[in-house]
Amino acid sequence: MSGFPRILQLFNSRWRGWGQLLVTGCLLLVLTACTATPSADASEAELAAILAQLPDPAPLTGGPNPFKTPPVPRNLPPTRATAVGPVCQAMQPAIGREAYSMANFRPEIRSAWAHPTNFGDRAAVDRNGQPVDNRISLIVLHETVASADSAINFFQTPHPRDEDQASYHALIRRNGTIVYTVPPDKRAFGAGSSSFRGESVRFNPKLPGSVNNFALHVSLESPRDGRDNRRRHSGYTARQYDSLALIVQQWMTGYTIPGDRITTHAAVDQSGSRMDPRSFQWQRLAQRLQLLNEGTIPGCADPDVGAGSSL
């Protein structure tokens, strides 16, 4: 036997084992490349890379930088791990793909400070002169109902009458731009007649008590189809949820606020007239907070609670 047939015979007899191993290895590589999908859970390296790209607190123009305010100690001890709030209920064991939209997002940050009649100091005594704990311990979520510009114009308009005064600490436009309106060490007038788990402080004998003395308020700009009194609308943008998570995360960290003390205007309202933020999807906020906290949310139980929730 000679020529090409002889070469084939030598290959088959001497290299058959190595050839089969090489072919098998190549097939495995091809199959892995074709079928692999990114895991919903982030590795430590992936989380570190994402967190490294998140925005640092940016200096603001036209007023003091809220992030430069020294952290205020909480007025309550950390909540036990078994406590459940809506953001805790919305936790999931795995982080979904949408939350990773935060990775390359650096929100634009602006300031449009409210008129001094529309906010005040965090008081140390109530209307009767009794000491009250004014340390920040609650985050309240709102929506504007009107446009962001309309809300800002209202906050910047002088309102001598207590009944007309209103403000938030921060507002988030539809594109995710964050607008600060009241420094966090001040008392924004975000929830008039309100109480959280029986906690409220009353200053004006003509007005009911509220959570404003120990709360931080942030509002999402409503969509166009939400500028009325209907119970639902088309909801908020992914960028609004991204910016909201970043604000909430910094407030939770700076003031040691646990996840079960994140609530809504509708939940704390005592007048029965507030529904905001309507069509809010708690899972979208929870997923982003889990991403920022390596799979958990401080002050919540393990992320096996969740079935999702919305208001």
Side-chain angles (χ1 to χ4, degrees):
M1 182 182 294
S2 62
F4 189 67
R6 176 61 175 165
I7 294 173
L8 287 177
Q9 185 182 38
L10 288 171
F11 178 81
N12 288 332
S13 60
R14 297 185 181 183
W15 301 100
R16 181 178 298 162
W18 286 105
Q20 289 175 342
L21 181 62
L22 179 62
V23 170
T24 302
C26 290
L27 285 173
L28 286 174
L29 286 173
V30 170
L31 288 172
T32 301
C34 292
T35 60
T37 56
S39 171
D41 295 310
S43 68
E44 291 184 9
E46 289 172 326
L47 283 170
I50 290 169
L51 291 172
Q53 296 181 70
L54 294 177
D56 294 321
L60 306 178
T61 58
N65 182 352
F67 287 120
K68 295 299 183 182
T69 303
V72 179
R74 289 190 60 250
N75 60 335
L76 295 172
T79 308
R80 65 187 187 279
T82 55
V84 177
V87 77
C88 299
Q89 290 178 317
M91 292 173 66
Q92 297 292 324
I95 297 172
R97 291 178 181 272
E98 194 216 22
Y100 287 86
S101 65
M102 299 179 67
N104 298 307
F105 179 52
R106 298 181 67 88
E108 186 176 356
I109 298 178
R110 292 286 180 264
S111 60
W113 302 110
H115 189 272
T117 58
N118 288 316
F119 66 92
D121 293 323
R122 295 189 184 273
V125 296
D126 63 12
R127 61 181 289 265
N128 297 317
Q130 297 299 311
V132 294
D133 202 335
N134 61 2
R135 290 172 288 186
I136 297 167
S137 63
L138 184 69
I139 297 173
V140 183
L141 310 183
H142 302 254
E143 68 171 297
T144 60
V145 181
S147 68
D149 288 334
S150 295
I152 291 168
N153 288 338
F154 186 86
F155 299 158
Q156 293 184 327
T157 300
H159 292 113
R161 297 195 325 144
D162 288 352
E163 296 86 346
D164 301 328
Q165 296 165 352
S167 60
Y168 311 122
H169 291 95
L171 184 152
I172 302 173
R173 294 183 181 274
R174 297 288 292 170
N175 65 358
T177 297
I178 298 171
V179 182
Y180 289 102
T181 56
V182 175
D185 62 328
K186 298 295 184 180
R187 175 166 53 104
F189 301 150
S193 175
S194 56
S195 177
F196 181 77
R197 298 176 185 170
E199 301 171 45
S200 66
V201 180
R202 189 174 183 183
F203 298 108
N204 188 328
K206 298 180 181 179
L207 298 174
S210 81
V211 301
N212 292 337
N213 205 48
F214 52 89
L216 289 164
H217 299 277
V218 56
S219 183
L220 299 161
E221 181 179 16
S222 303
R224 289 188 178 276
D225 65 345
R227 297 173 188 178
D228 51 36
N229 292 321
R230 287 179 293 180
R231 297 196 65 85
R232 299 191 65 82
H233 53 59
S234 58
Y236 310 100
T237 68
R239 287 311 188 203
Q240 284 181 297
Y241 282 104
D242 291 344
S243 292
L244 178 62
L246 293 173
I247 290 176
V248 168
Q249 172 72 11
Q250 290 197 287
W251 285 349
M252 289 177 69
T253 301
Y255 300 100
T256 322
I257 301 172
D260 81 307
R261 290 182 69 87
I262 302 170
T263 187
T264 65
H265 194 185
V268 300
D269 176 55
Q270 299 295 294
S271 70
S273 63
R274 306 298 181 183
M275 300 183 288
D276 60 309
R278 296 164 295 168
S279 300
F280 187 78
Q281 295 176 294
W282 282 103
Q283 184 173 328
R284 298 179 76 182
L285 174 61
Q287 289 273 282
R288 288 161 168 80
L289 290 176
Q290 286 182 253
L291 184 64
L292 294 172
N293 292 283
E294 299 185 349
T296 186
I297 298 176
C300 292
D302 292 335
D304 55 3
V305 181
S309 177
S310 64
L311 279 177

